[in-house]
Amino acid sequence: GECHEYPLRLPIVATCFMEPVTLESNAFLQRWKSLEGQDRECQEIVKAPPTSPPIDEAYMERIVHIVTDGLKFGRCPGCDPTIWTVSGAATFRTGARD
């Protein structure tokens, strides 16, 4: 065999393998519904801690920044019924390097 060395930066988190996807509301809902079933969909509702600053539009913009830049999700325009929700999508890429 041949010896290989691959330097890794640890910890490796799942978001390293995310690819943002931007979907219009109809496409988003169609894909979401295709995930229905046991252990096939994931929805996270996050509540602010009691000691957090008041949730205003500036606070929500920071949340959007975390979702898009930090978690590598694409925004899904037209999916959010209010400014107090954030919808995003991403694909989880695995496999061989290109």
Side-chain angles (χ1 to χ4, degrees), residues 31-52:
R31 287 192 184 190
W32 184 261
K33 288 179 182 178
S34 73
L35 296 174
E36 289 179 349
Q38 184 177 359
D39 299 328
R40 295 191 63 204
E41 64 182 79
C42 179
Q43 179 176 357
E44 192 71 32
I45 298 172
V46 180
K47 293 188 178 202
T51 58
S52 68

Side-chain angles (χ1 to χ4, degrees), residues 9-81:
R9 290 179 51 199
L10 298 176
I12 297 175
V13 294
T15 55
C16 292
F17 303 100
M18 301 303 256
E19 184 175 304
V21 176
T22 301
L23 299 169
E24 295 300 324
S25 61
N26 289 338
F28 177 85
L29 291 173
Q30 181 180 3
R31 287 192 184 190
W32 184 261
K33 288 179 182 178
S34 73
L35 296 174
E36 289 179 349
Q38 184 177 359
D39 299 328
R40 295 191 63 204
E41 64 182 79
C42 179
Q43 179 176 357
E44 192 71 32
I45 298 172
V46 180
K47 293 188 178 202
T51 58
S52 68
I55 298 176
D56 56 12
E57 290 184 38
Y59 189 89
M60 288 306 296
E61 282 301 317
R62 290 194 300 272
I63 298 296
V64 167
H65 177 74
I66 290 168
V67 169
T68 56
D69 296 342
L71 298 177
K72 298 183 183 175
F73 274 63
R75 286 295 304 271
C76 296
C79 290
D80 301 319

